[in-house]
Amino acid sequence: HLSHEGLDLEDPANQPMYEKKGFLEMSVSPKQAPDQSEYVTISFEKGIPVAVNGEKMDGVALIEKLNEIGGAILFKAHELLEQICLDRDTLHYKNIVAEQFAELTYFGKWFTPLHEAIRAFIDKTQEHVTGDVKIELYKGNMIPAGVTSPYSQYYEELATFGEDAVYDQAQSKGFIDLFGLSIKMNALAKQGKIK
């Protein structure tokens, strides 16, 4: 985290001067970025980054290494890994909780009961967030280039919209009817068709 004065950026009408020397402390503008892309692979164990490009290192060294490459990579890599390791409902709720967790941390409420409870929830969600995330860096962009995990919830034989023996597409009608029932009832009530 870096905190500094916004200076001319405090006025939202001003365009950021990305090319100005020292304006960007941890990156460069796309205009100044190299013309060659670079690949970075980050390895995680239980949600904790443990290696960069196959080189194991402690947390401080790892963050320093990634800051040399591009500060936002770690967050993006972790997010990509969670997408294949967590079920949809847990991932959605974890994203909601993460904002509250970040706010409590920012306000210095680290040892509050709520912060400790959220931390326990987050720790639980990370138990199987283990794997490798490869990202291509090019002109200020982070392009996903592959995610693998022994706990991936992706299975090719189940991820199909075509005809197969794994899933009967007609079964989806029941879910549509069930999940759409409250919406249907709301519309009927607004039309005065139910009392």
Side-chain angles (χ1 to χ4, degrees):
H1 171 71
L2 295 174
S3 292
H4 52 82
E5 290 296 320
L7 303 174
D8 57 331
L9 287 183
E10 290 179 2
D11 183 346
N14 293 334
Q15 179 180 359
M17 299 187 315
Y18 294 117
E19 284 75 37
K20 181 180 177 183
K21 184 175 169 82
F23 183 84
L24 297 173
E25 295 185 30
M26 298 176 71
S27 62
V28 297
S29 76
K31 292 177 184 175
Q32 295 169 330
D35 289 327
Q36 295 293 101
S37 62
E38 177 180 356
Y39 288 90
V40 177
T41 300
I42 303 170
S43 301
F44 293 84
E45 292 178 9
K46 296 186 176 184
I48 309 271
V50 295
V52 175
N53 293 331
E55 181 184 342
K56 292 249 186 196
M57 51 186 79
D58 66 41
V60 173
L62 187 138
I63 290 173
E64 288 174 345
K65 177 70 174 174
L66 289 176
N67 280 343
E68 290 174 18
I69 301 168
I73 299 171
L74 185 57
F75 177 79
K76 180 68 173 176
H78 186 262
E79 180 182 61
L80 290 168
L81 185 58
E82 282 186 324
Q83 289 175 7
I84 69 165
C85 294
L86 298 179
D87 66 276
R88 181 181 62 186
D89 291 337
T90 301
L91 181 60
H92 287 183
Y93 192 73
K94 192 248 172 198
N95 289 337
I96 293 168
V97 169
E99 289 191 27
Q100 180 68 46
F101 184 78
E103 184 177 279
L104 289 170
T105 302
Y106 182 80
F107 290 133
K109 297 182 178 181
W110 188 264
F111 297 106
T112 63
L114 178 57
H115 198 278
E116 290 176 10
I118 293 173
R119 175 85 248 171
F121 169 78
I122 291 172
D123 288 346
K124 182 66 178 171
T125 67
Q126 299 305 296
E127 287 180 351
H128 297 104
V129 181
T130 297
D132 296 325
V133 181
K134 185 176 183 180
I135 295 178
E136 179 183 9
L137 305 176
Y138 182 67
K139 293 287 187 183
N141 295 293
M142 294 180 288
I143 305 160
V147 183
T148 59
S149 171
Y151 302 106
S152 175
Q153 294 188 24
Y154 168 77
Y155 295 98
E156 185 175 355
E157 57 273 11
L158 295 178
T160 177
F161 290 101
E163 292 185 28
D164 57 49
V166 177
Y167 175 71
D168 181 357
Q169 305 295 326
Q171 293 174 340
S172 63
K173 182 183 183 317
F175 288 104
I176 293 168
D177 291 343
L178 179 62
F179 290 139
L181 183 59
S182 62
I183 299 167
K184 180 179 178 181
M185 299 308 293
N186 186 326
L188 291 173
K190 286 181 179 177
Q191 295 170 7
K193 295 184 178 178
I194 59 171
K195 296 180 185 184

